Amino acid sequence: MKSNMVTIGEFAKLVPGDPAPSTIWRWCRKGIKTRNGQQVRLPHQRVGKRLFVDASKASEFFKEIADQDVAYFQLKDGETRPEIAPHRTNAERTEAATRAAARLEREGL
């Protein structure tokens, strides 16, 4: 058991993209929400106050996330995907914030 178990800090150093240990903790506790709405949690064990991850099982975690995303993007005949709100540009966000601030000022808030 001990040979593959690493702390979340050690695991963070093994993962591409250099995530923070707090990100690994979040993956363990809350998981990652995939495109189709499924929560996928990183398998872990708690020993005392510390969380440990089986480094040899990490690829299964990332594969599950990828498989869920692939399933989301592969539509069957006649199937439609729910609408996703479009992303706003920085200029659109700034304009909306300016309008909101002006409205709050007019209303005395």
Side-chain angles (χ1 to χ4, degrees):
M1 176 175 129
K2 188 174 188 276
S3 63
N4 292 329
M5 300 301 286
V6 296
T7 65
I8 59 175
E10 293 167 335
F11 184 74
K13 294 175 184 173
L14 300 173
V15 177
D18 197 29
S22 60
T23 300
I24 306 302
W25 180 88
R26 190 172 56 250
W27 292 351
C28 291
R29 299 309 230 174
K30 297 180 180 182
I32 293 177
K33 190 172 188 177
T34 61
R35 296 277 184 182
N36 63 3
Q38 299 292 319
Q39 288 289 125
V40 179
R41 291 178 54 203
L42 178 61
H44 64 281
Q45 292 182 356
R46 185 179 189 100
V47 179
K49 296 190 293 184
R50 300 177 78 185
L51 294 181
F52 291 85
V53 176
D54 186 344
S56 65
K57 304 277 184 185
S59 63
E60 294 173 20
F61 168 69
F62 294 116
K63 184 176 181 333
E64 178 65 23
I65 293 166
D67 289 348
Q68 293 288 335
D69 285 347
V70 167
Y72 174 79
F73 286 110
Q74 289 179 340
L75 296 176
K76 295 179 177 83
D77 290 337
E79 190 176 353
T80 60
R81 185 170 293 113
E83 289 295 317
I84 298 173
H87 293 284
R88 294 189 294 181
T89 65
N90 286 337
E92 291 169 330
R93 264 191 297 282
T94 301
E95 182 181 328
T98 302
R99 283 194 315 266
R103 181 177 173 207
L104 287 173
E105 190 172 322
R106 279 194 315 271
E107 295 178 9
L109 299 175

